[in-house]
Amino acid sequence: MPRKKRWLFLGLVIFVVGVSLFSFSIFQNKRRESHRLAILSHYHDVVQVIEDTELYEQKGDDFFKVGKLYQKAILELEKISGEYFQIKGTDYYVKYDKVEEGEKIVDLENHYLLFNQDAVVLENSPLSVLGQKQIELPKKIRLSVLEKGDIYKLTNGEIILEVEKNSIETFVESENCHEETLEKLSIFYFETSDNIEDKLQLLKEDNYTFISEKELISFFNGNIVLPKHTTMLIFKEIDEKVTTLQELYHLTINEENQLTLTYQKGDEQVSRLDHLVKYVVDGNTSKLRFQDMLKGKKEDVVKNYATSIPVLNYHFFYDPNIEVCDESICLEKTKFEEQLNYLKENGYKTLTMQEFYDWYQGKINLPKKSVLLTVDDGAAGTFSYLPDLLEKYDLRATLFLISGWWPMSRYKVGHLEIQSHGHDLHHNNFSYQGKTGVKGLLLPKEELLQDLRLSKSTIGNPIAFCYPFYAYNERLVSAVKEEFKLAFVGGNKKATRNGDIYHIPRYVIYNTTSLGQFQNMIK
């Protein structure tokens, strides 16, 4: 072959080889890029195992099989290392093509407390989540005990893992410490869904845990530890209202016809499985009685609580041997002392205004023998006789003072507390814009508020008001509501919690009130 042709042939060969190598390089790069993209396409924050596969551990640049991952296991990933994905929070890896995008397991909200012991799980023991097998680890693992049984529920603080009892090697003491755990609990049986919202709201405010009958059995068998504020709710039937409340308050509800155990009606809490007592709650069960049931207080104790309280209204006190008082609301000093002596000898509790208010609001219970003594105005005898007699018998009373007429320094406080009777509203022949009558009924609201606020600042922020002459209208009541928590009128009947807190009735004490009549008022 001529020399010129040889060079042409050689050039052609070199060109073909070059093109081939270049093409192969492009192909290889595309292949590597395709492989890289394939790996990336399998990587997600949360993945699911496609089929049973191996668990790997990295040593240097190599990966070695050390355990097992089960099909449908859910894993959270941390990083990519070649063809392997590191499982978050561990030194273990899974091969990229064995997983696909998954959804993070949202563990059911757990309301059990941890036991004061941890469990050491044997190596290569299957660990499950919500009944689905997840993983076998090549090493022993120590986890906190949450629930005992044939299947133990354990936790690492982030997720609840399940393992068979025979896979636990030993138990070791834990640092978990619970100051208040449940020993007995109240079981409530609701005959109706009427008037239960306030009771459920109370449970919600106190962060109560609600359990199923299955959990009740586990608790008394020693398989779970429950917080102190735990209760069980049984409903005669689950109607639409109960279903709505169940969703609103996140309740665990037990329906009567689905129970496997027998529950007896009673008046005590439950402390063992062979003595299951339920509190029956109907539409007439008060919120306070419900609170007592939660605390295990028996009804015979509750029967001694006041459901109504007499409020007595005095005005003036005098000594007929040295004074004259011809008004019907004047009371002889000796008669008043006779009444105080009766209260003392018969074990009556005379209330402060705050105690009465807290009782009225349902915040506290008070003994049946409770009475609120009130005195209006601040005139005759309220500074000379009243304080000393209260101190003598160690009883309490409230003076509704007309703060603009007499200075507070005039009265000996201690057993006598001072509330508001207005600053200068105590006029029943007051003229205003062509009208004459009770001042408190004639003034515009702004002037009423000015008087009430002056009275409050003079006395020192009282909480209660008493209407002068027992007279009120919508305007005066509206002003009083802005400045005071409660207000008193006349009425000659006992105060109850279902009354209007701004129209609390009182028994008026006259000079003709006999000791027998007095006794009937307070019994």
Side-chain angles (χ1 to χ4, degrees), residues 447-458:
E447 290 189 37
L448 290 173
L449 286 171
Q450 289 174 8
D451 183 280
L452 299 180
R453 289 165 183 167
L454 184 55
S455 176
K456 284 181 68 175
S457 63
T458 302

Side-chain angles (χ1 to χ4, degrees), residues 16 38 73 98 162 166 227 242 417 468:
V16 170
K98 299 299 182 182
E162 299 156 355
N166 57 15
V242 172
E417 66 172 301

Side-chain angles (χ1 to χ4, degrees), residues 149-270:
D150 292 334
I151 301 294
Y152 270 68
K153 290 186 178 180
L154 312 172
T155 181
N156 60 358
E158 294 183 5
I159 195 168
I160 297 174
L161 299 162
E162 299 156 355
V163 65
E164 292 184 0
K165 183 178 181 179
N166 57 15
S167 294
I168 296 175
E169 180 184 52
T170 187
F171 294 97
V172 292
E173 187 175 346
S174 169
E175 295 180 357
N176 297 317
C177 182
H178 311 297
E179 294 182 3
E180 293 188 327
T181 57
L182 185 70
E183 294 181 1
K184 357 175 143 172
L185 79 161
S186 300
I187 298 177
F188 293 104
Y189 173 70
F190 290 90
E191 291 188 327
T192 173
S193 59
D194 295 339
N195 301 323
I196 64 172
E197 289 92 334
D198 60 337
K199 301 168 185 65
L200 297 182
Q201 181 62 30
L202 174 69
L203 295 172
K204 181 181 178 182
E205 289 171 356
D206 289 343
N207 295 316
Y208 265 81
T209 289
F210 309 100
I211 59 171
S212 65
E213 185 181 60
K214 180 181 177 182
E215 291 170 313
L216 179 75
I217 295 170
S218 292
F219 170 70
F220 284 123
N221 285 335
N223 292 336
I224 57 176
V225 179
L226 292 170
K228 187 175 182 180
H229 280 196
T230 298
T231 187
M232 179 176 167
L233 309 179
I234 303 172
F235 280 80
K236 186 175 183 179
E237 60 178 329
I238 299 179
D239 56 23
E240 184 177 346
K241 181 178 180 181
V242 172
T243 301
T244 301
L245 292 171
Q246 181 179 14
E247 295 174 358
L248 179 62
Y249 292 103
H250 306 291
L251 304 176
T252 297
I253 286 181
N254 300 271
E255 191 168 10
E256 183 178 32
N257 61 15
Q258 295 180 354
L259 299 175
T260 60
L261 301 175
T262 301
Y263 301 80
Q264 302 296 326
K265 177 181 177 181
D267 188 23
E268 59 186 304
Q269 292 182 308
V270 176

